[in-house]
Amino acid sequence: MRITMNSIYSRINTDLNRLTEALDKTNSAISSGKIYRLPSDEPVAMTHAQAIRNAISDTDQYQRNITYGKAWTTATESTLTQVQDRLMRAKTLANQAINDSQSAESRKAIAAEVKTIMEEVATLGNTKLGGRYILAGSRTTDYPAGVTPLMLNKDGTVEYNGNEDDLRITVADGTTQKINIDGHSAFMATGVFDGLKLLNDGLNANSRGDIEVALGDIDTAIEKVNSLISQIGAQDNTLANKTDMAATFSLTNKERLSDIEETDMVKAVTELQTKQVSYQAALGAASKVMGLSLADYLK
Amino acid sequence: MPGISSFLNVAKVAILAHQNNLHVAANNIGNVNTEGYSKQNVTLSPAYMTPTSFGPVGNGVNVTDVTRDYDRFITTTLFDKTSVMSGLQTRQSGMKLIEGVVNEADTNGLNELLSRFWTSWDDVANNAEGTAERTSLLNNAQLLATGLKDRYNQLLKLSQDVDQNIQASVTELNKLTDQVAELNVQIVAAESGHHAANDLRDQRDNLIKRLSEIADISYFETQRGTYTVLIGQGSPLVEGNRSWHLGIEDNSVKWIGQNGQRVTLRSEDVKNGELGGWMAIKDMVKPPDPAVLTGSNVNTASGTNIKYATRWNQIDGVTVTGDFSIKYSGTDQNGLPITGQFDYHASPESNATVGDFLESIRTAFQLPGPPPVDRVRVDLTDDGRIRITDIMPGTSPISFNIESVQGAVYGLNLGQFDKAYPPNYLEQLNTLGTELIKLVNAQHSQGVGLLPLRETTGNFAALNTNQPIGLKASGLKFSDAVQDGSFQIWLYDKNGQVIDADPTTPEVNDPLTIAVNANTTTMEDIKNAINNAVFGGTTTPMGLSARILDGRLVIQANGTSQVAGFGFSDDTSNALLALGLNSFFTGYDAATIDIDPVISRDVRFIAAAQVSPRGTDSLTSANMTREPSRPLGSVVTAGSFSVAIYDKDGKMVDLDDNTAGVNPLTITIDPTKQSLNDIIAAIDAIDGLHAEMSNGILHVRLEQENPEPANNSQHWATVALGDDTTGLLAYLGVGASFSGTQPMNASKSVTDPTQALGTSASGLAQFQGLKPGSFVVNHFDADGNNISSQEIHFDSATTSLNDLVTALNAVPGVNASLSSVTIQGQTQYFLSLTNTAPGQTMSLSEDTSGILTALGLNVVQPELQGGFKADRMAEPLNNIKADMNPGSFNIYLYDKNGQFMGVHNIEVNPQYDSLSDIANRLNGLNDIKSWVEPDGRLHIETEGQAGKFVLADDTTDAPGISGFLAKIGLFTPAGGILAKANNQNALTMRDLSKRPIANLNDATLNEAYHGIVGTIGIQSRGFQQDYDFSKAQVDELQQRRDSVSGVSLDEEMANLIRFQQAYTAAAKLIKMADEMFVTILETK
């Protein structure tokens, strides 16, 4: 076949072009760290990478949610534990007061301490975290002046102004977790204040029978609060588990992402070397060929 | 005859010939880099011979022709393949531009924006009252909307830029055809001497090559030597000296004929070449033609597309079993509604075709005549879709929707008509935007922000407000999402407290419910329903006004009632979505998406919360009942009761020194002053008797060491309580064991007095502990002597309550009777014993069967114990209040979807019913579980089908009397409350990101976007690979052509030397001839 000058030059052109393109691609993969620059480079890999990035973003959010939720559960658990402590103190007082050696005056003195305990428990019920009441259900703010979720009246009755809603956070795809205990479940349904009020009234009226009944009530209340504490402790544990899971997922996904889209540096640099060598060889050959011509040999 | 002159002649022609050779070689060398140049060769042939006597003698050489090396087959093939390569190259570069718009290789693409949008909702959920998180959500939403709109606009701009490229290609093509025609003329003229015009032909070939690069042409050479160039299905571009042009009109390439007639080139005709490439790219990103509506569903009949004449039952997947009708609606060129119906009758016209339906649509859009004017053309596309083309465009684009297919037909799906099908990338991005808007708005519209709305304006304007909002004829964009259902509007006062829209049910808060029927409810209807709303049971207007402004619905609180704001919830009809009320995004697709200005101005209106629903699934009473077994109405009134003591001989001991005879001690009670402790102290004051409350239970016992009365040697043996007019004994659960004047009432009942008491059939609660035995009825005279003791036998297996009554009545001085009460359909029978002997007292003793305790009576014994706990023993006894009248309350049940299941009425009769009785009554209902907790709290919860319950309609209350529900502290959430920290809507919104969407082929939003990016990438990759392959082919062909027609410098160089030598030799001939002449001339 006749090889004309045009053929030679156009061949050199095409081949050098191909080599530079390949070199450029490898170079780009190394400098950007990713195996693709445009979707057409690796379309399927890009689709997977996008999906994984979504998953990572979601998991990161779940971890943020869990951190927020844990603050709540920890605060709630600590508050309820303190309530339980106060109740234990009240129980001790009641046991003391039941003793027949007590007189009306000594019982009145104990009543004063019981009243203080009631006030302390009411204050605990109005615990805030970051400016929001944690034991008021979903009515965490927005109370009129002078109104709080738990209000202890002078006569010893208690009003609960919050609601019984759950507060939930998203901890995984489609899964929410309750992070709070509402005031009704914690204080009204457990009989905490009923027991303390009965004790207070019984002490003030020097009615041993009432003190005895109140002791039983306080015992029941302690048990109920205890089970609430276990409940919130379990919620706390679940959150801890979920956060571990989320962290593991995140790690796995990040690994998968780097597998899919990141350049294997060692392989890429080796390739770069190889392509460089090829390119240099091609350039050398081209320059040799381009310099030859019959015209040089004719005098 | 050969001679010197002929010799000279030969030399002369030889030199000239070789000069020509050299010239042509030089020409070749000079043109070595000329594009499309074919190597030229000189054809030499010997000159005409001269006949001589010794035979013909040659006369040198002649240049007969200059030819070019040219292979027509290779050239034609090369141009063909160049066309293809050019088309692919254009496609590839165009795809790269498209790819650039959706490039997700870096991390700031649309995918990231979508992700951040969804996760922002979680941040808002975690602190629903905060404003920082809301502002952040708003920012991310803004970035998302802008990002989507930008990408849409970039693709749109691309399609416009491509238009310019197309125009440029067509212009160049037209110029080239003109040039080819001109060259044709020149070549024919130049070749009139029967020699090929090589350079001109090369030029012409070059033009053809450029033409091939631009478009898919075919060409051939005619006998005269002109080229005829054709395009498409035989439309000529160049013929002889005439050339024709192409033009771009209505987005398609048209061939423009001599008389101005137009022939549209099909897309197969312009597949290759730059023109084809740009047209293909444009197709991928061009916006749909608003004048053409294409159905989204392809229908086939026996595998090939349906045609005009296809019968309905021939369509694949469709079965027709009887009459059916297709209802459709839309808007015409002026925005006016079009509605119509196509009816198919199974007989007699069972040969009705698809074409009849198309006709029906065409006539629906006609302008009435006479004669009626067609405004649309309705036909079927090549792949089987219905297509409606607007042929008389007006002020608004036409719209069309098939509203319903009803009747005896299955599987008929003619598709949606709101986009161009099949969708290109621009359309897919648009659809993504539409689905995002629908998804977010549908959920957002049902929630509430941090404060109630004062006013809301719909985002969508209806073209026809008196058309049902569920029909396309209304002009609403999302009319196809509307279905039969309702939505709720909750009312709030200026402090954000909920106002009950229906005060006739005070225990639950009611919203204003607007019912929507997709096929009949119009925007006017909704406006009127809101304007005419009154508070339930009254004629007081609710204080909401609605009006229609430019086709948009506007709702406001008008201030005529205490309603200052409102909120939405529970939209099962999607009317809020279609009307654009309380929305998050405005717009309806990627081109128009934006953030609702209400939210932009005030992030408090982001609806992260939901109005709290009515009812609950679990409830524990707020108040504790000390003794759940005690009848709720058990109180202590003024009166007295007696304490009797009997000695070891069975004789009554006189405890009352103030009255003559042997009498028991009567203790009076003044409930206003005395407390339980006081009464116990009074009993305890009796020497020898010890009374106390232990753990809340009454204990009365004889003390071990009882002082003997001064002049009496009695040993006290047993004590009894009875003759109670105050109710204290019943309150403390102490059964009466003696009776003077008052009856002894059993506190426990049976339901069937004819059945044996030891069996469950009797209905006695404690039937199991009974055994056969007996008890004794004693009578005492005024001196306390036991004058009669009657043993009453009891057989647990056979003795019924009636039998007992009979047996007791047989005892003289005893009257036994049964009283009964019916509660909740159940009759209860109570035994009552009275002493009828005047001046005597009666007592019960020695019960070996256990029946007396089981009935709530008692026997005299050394130690008495109460059954019911008491507390507040130091308070006056009149503090014990029933606080409820006989009556009932209702429990409403709702299933897990919030649908009403039923209502049950629970009776409360405080005289007999204890808290446990009420619990049992509730527990007996299906789907409700109820019990009393150990600490005296009533617990109710749902089970089975029920999702929530509401307790309401308490009739046991009265002015000053709380009623059962209030006293026990049973309050079910009334609903409608705005709680700022409620994050229900935000959490649900988060879940939306994972929901598969039908219009996106059941992919989630994120997945759908990934799909678009992936498809673009794969298509681009495909073009790349095809282009690489095609280029390799073209390169190969180019090489082949070069090897035939190209100039090889070495060859030419060698030729030059060769010709030079020949020239030198010929020149030598002349010298020689000259010398020969001189020789001759010098001969003297």
Side-chain angles (χ1 to χ4, degrees), chain B residues 496-511:
Chain B
Q497 301 301 313
V498 61
I499 298 178
D500 194 352
D502 185 2
T504 58
T505 55
E507 287 95 345
V508 283
N509 291 324
D510 300 291

PDB file of all heavy atoms in Angstrom, chain B residues 496-511:
ATOM      1  N   GLY B 496     -54.265  31.957  70.684  1.00  0.00           N
ATOM      2  CA  GLY B 496     -53.836  30.675  70.159  1.00  0.00           C
ATOM      3  C   GLY B 496     -54.540  29.492  70.791  1.00  0.00           C
ATOM      4  O   GLY B 496     -54.142  28.352  70.601  1.00  0.00           O
ATOM      5  N   GLN B 497     -55.609  29.763  71.562  1.00  0.00           N
ATOM      6  CA  GLN B 497     -56.364  28.653  72.160  1.00  0.00           C
ATOM      7  C   GLN B 497     -57.426  28.186  71.176  1.00  0.00           C
ATOM      8  O   GLN B 497     -58.046  28.988  70.478  1.00  0.00           O
ATOM      9  CB  GLN B 497     -57.057  29.107  73.459  1.00  0.00           C
ATOM     10  CG  GLN B 497     -56.095  29.626  74.506  1.00  0.00           C
ATOM     11  CD  GLN B 497     -55.076  28.581  74.886  1.00  0.00           C
ATOM     12  OE1 GLN B 497     -55.414  27.428  75.140  1.00  0.00           O
ATOM     13  NE2 GLN B 497     -53.817  28.954  74.897  1.00  0.00           N
ATOM     14  N   VAL B 498     -57.664  26.886  71.176  1.00  0.00           N
ATOM     15  CA  VAL B 498     -58.578  26.328  70.185  1.00  0.00           C
ATOM     16  C   VAL B 498     -60.020  26.684  70.529  1.00  0.00           C
ATOM     17  O   VAL B 498     -60.396  26.765  71.699  1.00  0.00           O
ATOM     18  CB  VAL B 498     -58.380  24.796  70.083  1.00  0.00           C
ATOM     19  CG1 VAL B 498     -58.671  24.117  71.399  1.00  0.00           C
ATOM     20  CG2 VAL B 498     -59.224  24.227  68.971  1.00  0.00           C
ATOM     21  N   ILE B 499     -60.818  26.961  69.496  1.00  0.00           N
ATOM     22  CA  ILE B 499     -62.249  27.261  69.673  1.00  0.00           C
ATOM     23  C   ILE B 499     -63.032  26.095  69.081  1.00  0.00           C
ATOM     24  O   ILE B 499     -62.784  25.690  67.945  1.00  0.00           O
ATOM     25  CB  ILE B 499     -62.612  28.555  68.937  1.00  0.00           C
ATOM     26  CG1 ILE B 499     -61.835  29.734  69.531  1.00  0.00           C
ATOM     27  CG2 ILE B 499     -64.108  28.818  69.019  1.00  0.00           C
ATOM     28  CD1 ILE B 499     -62.098  31.029  68.822  1.00  0.00           C
ATOM     29  N   ASP B 500     -63.961  25.572  69.854  1.00  0.00           N
ATOM     30  CA  ASP B 500     -64.739  24.425  69.404  1.00  0.00           C
ATOM     31  C   ASP B 500     -65.746  24.869  68.355  1.00  0.00           C
ATOM     32  O   ASP B 500     -66.594  25.714  68.616  1.00  0.00           O
ATOM     33  CB  ASP B 500     -65.463  23.836  70.623  1.00  0.00           C
ATOM     34  CG  ASP B 500     -66.021  22.454  70.353  1.00  0.00           C
ATOM     35  OD1 ASP B 500     -65.982  22.024  69.181  1.00  0.00           O
ATOM     36  OD2 ASP B 500     -66.495  21.827  71.306  1.00  0.00           O
ATOM     37  N   ALA B 501     -65.674  24.300  67.169  1.00  0.00           N
ATOM     38  CA  ALA B 501     -66.599  24.705  66.112  1.00  0.00           C
ATOM     39  C   ALA B 501     -67.993  24.148  66.346  1.00  0.00           C
ATOM     40  O   ALA B 501     -68.956  24.591  65.747  1.00  0.00           O
ATOM     41  CB  ALA B 501     -66.075  24.247  64.756  1.00  0.00           C
ATOM     42  N   ASP B 502     -68.078  23.131  67.209  1.00  0.00           N
ATOM     43  CA  ASP B 502     -69.382  22.534  67.471  1.00  0.00           C
ATOM     44  C   ASP B 502     -69.551  22.397  68.982  1.00  0.00           C
ATOM     45  O   ASP B 502     -69.236  21.350  69.556  1.00  0.00           O
ATOM     46  CB  ASP B 502     -69.471  21.160  66.789  1.00  0.00           C
ATOM     47  CG  ASP B 502     -70.850  20.555  66.932  1.00  0.00           C
ATOM     48  OD1 ASP B 502     -71.731  21.210  67.520  1.00  0.00           O
ATOM     49  OD2 ASP B 502     -71.034  19.413  66.476  1.00  0.00           O
ATOM     50  N   PRO B 503     -70.045  23.452  69.625  1.00  0.00           N
ATOM     51  CA  PRO B 503     -70.106  23.413  71.095  1.00  0.00           C
ATOM     52  C   PRO B 503     -71.103  22.403  71.643  1.00  0.00           C
ATOM     53  O   PRO B 503     -71.150  22.205  72.853  1.00  0.00           O
ATOM     54  CB  PRO B 503     -70.539  24.841  71.483  1.00  0.00           C
ATOM     55  CG  PRO B 503     -70.413  25.654  70.249  1.00  0.00           C
ATOM     56  CD  PRO B 503     -70.519  24.734  69.101  1.00  0.00           C
ATOM     57  N   THR B 504     -71.880  21.752  70.773  1.00  0.00           N
ATOM     58  CA  THR B 504     -72.822  20.778  71.311  1.00  0.00           C
ATOM     59  C   THR B 504     -72.088  19.551  71.840  1.00  0.00           C
ATOM     60  O   THR B 504     -72.652  18.734  72.545  1.00  0.00           O
ATOM     61  CB  THR B 504     -73.830  20.323  70.231  1.00  0.00           C
ATOM     62  OG1 THR B 504     -73.094  19.765  69.145  1.00  0.00           O
ATOM     63  CG2 THR B 504     -74.656  21.494  69.731  1.00  0.00           C
ATOM     64  N   THR B 505     -70.838  19.367  71.477  1.00  0.00           N
ATOM     65  CA  THR B 505     -70.057  18.260  72.044  1.00  0.00           C
ATOM     66  C   THR B 505     -68.881  18.885  72.781  1.00  0.00           C
ATOM     67  O   THR B 505     -67.796  19.016  72.229  1.00  0.00           O
ATOM     68  CB  THR B 505     -69.530  17.327  70.951  1.00  0.00           C
ATOM     69  OG1 THR B 505     -68.797  18.110  70.005  1.00  0.00           O
ATOM     70  CG2 THR B 505     -70.662  16.623  70.258  1.00  0.00           C
ATOM     71  N   PRO B 506     -69.085  19.285  74.050  1.00  0.00           N
ATOM     72  CA  PRO B 506     -68.048  20.072  74.719  1.00  0.00           C
ATOM     73  C   PRO B 506     -66.781  19.301  75.056  1.00  0.00           C
ATOM     74  O   PRO B 506     -65.729  19.891  75.215  1.00  0.00           O
ATOM     75  CB  PRO B 506     -68.738  20.569  75.989  1.00  0.00           C
ATOM     76  CG  PRO B 506     -69.867  19.630  76.207  1.00  0.00           C
ATOM     77  CD  PRO B 506     -70.285  19.108  74.890  1.00  0.00           C
ATOM     78  N   GLU B 507     -66.880  17.960  75.210  1.00  0.00           N
ATOM     79  CA  GLU B 507     -65.661  17.276  75.623  1.00  0.00           C
ATOM     80  C   GLU B 507     -64.651  17.135  74.496  1.00  0.00           C
ATOM     81  O   GLU B 507     -63.494  16.847  74.745  1.00  0.00           O
ATOM     82  CB  GLU B 507     -65.954  15.874  76.163  1.00  0.00           C
ATOM     83  CG  GLU B 507     -66.600  15.854  77.511  1.00  0.00           C
ATOM     84  CD  GLU B 507     -68.103  15.749  77.391  1.00  0.00           C
ATOM     85  OE1 GLU B 507     -68.601  15.974  76.281  1.00  0.00           O
ATOM     86  OE2 GLU B 507     -68.748  15.430  78.379  1.00  0.00           O
ATOM     87  N   VAL B 508     -65.120  17.263  73.254  1.00  0.00           N
ATOM     88  CA  VAL B 508     -64.156  17.215  72.154  1.00  0.00           C
ATOM     89  C   VAL B 508     -64.247  18.522  71.403  1.00  0.00           C
ATOM     90  O   VAL B 508     -65.305  19.132  71.296  1.00  0.00           O
ATOM     91  CB  VAL B 508     -64.428  16.054  71.175  1.00  0.00           C
ATOM     92  CG1 VAL B 508     -63.971  14.761  71.760  1.00  0.00           C
ATOM     93  CG2 VAL B 508     -65.866  16.000  70.762  1.00  0.00           C
ATOM     94  N   ASN B 509     -63.102  18.925  70.912  1.00  0.00           N
ATOM     95  CA  ASN B 509     -63.084  20.108  70.067  1.00  0.00           C
ATOM     96  C   ASN B 509     -63.294  19.677  68.629  1.00  0.00           C
ATOM     97  O   ASN B 509     -62.709  18.701  68.181  1.00  0.00           O
ATOM     98  CB  ASN B 509     -61.727  20.817  70.185  1.00  0.00           C
ATOM     99  CG  ASN B 509     -61.567  21.429  71.552  1.00  0.00           C
ATOM    100  OD1 ASN B 509     -62.513  21.912  72.145  1.00  0.00           O
ATOM    101  ND2 ASN B 509     -60.350  21.397  72.070  1.00  0.00           N
ATOM    102  N   ASP B 510     -64.145  20.394  67.954  1.00  0.00           N
ATOM    103  CA  ASP B 510     -64.423  20.034  66.567  1.00  0.00           C
ATOM    104  C   ASP B 510     -63.881  21.101  65.643  1.00  0.00           C
ATOM    105  O   ASP B 510     -63.941  22.286  65.951  1.00  0.00           O
ATOM    106  CB  ASP B 510     -65.930  19.901  66.343  1.00  0.00           C
ATOM    107  CG  ASP B 510     -66.542  18.844  67.230  1.00  0.00           C
ATOM    108  OD1 ASP B 510     -66.231  17.665  66.988  1.00  0.00           O
ATOM    109  OD2 ASP B 510     -67.274  19.212  68.154  1.00  0.00           O
ATOM    110  N   PRO B 511     -63.389  20.682  64.486  1.00  0.00           N
ATOM    111  CA  PRO B 511     -62.984  21.650  63.477  1.00  0.00           C
ATOM    112  C   PRO B 511     -64.130  21.876  62.502  1.00  0.00           C
ATOM    113  O   PRO B 511     -65.137  21.169  62.549  1.00  0.00           O
ATOM    114  CB  PRO B 511     -61.839  20.948  62.767  1.00  0.00           C
ATOM    115  CG  PRO B 511     -62.230  19.510  62.828  1.00  0.00           C
ATOM    116  CD  PRO B 511     -63.041  19.318  64.083  1.00  0.00           C
TER     117      PRO B 511
END
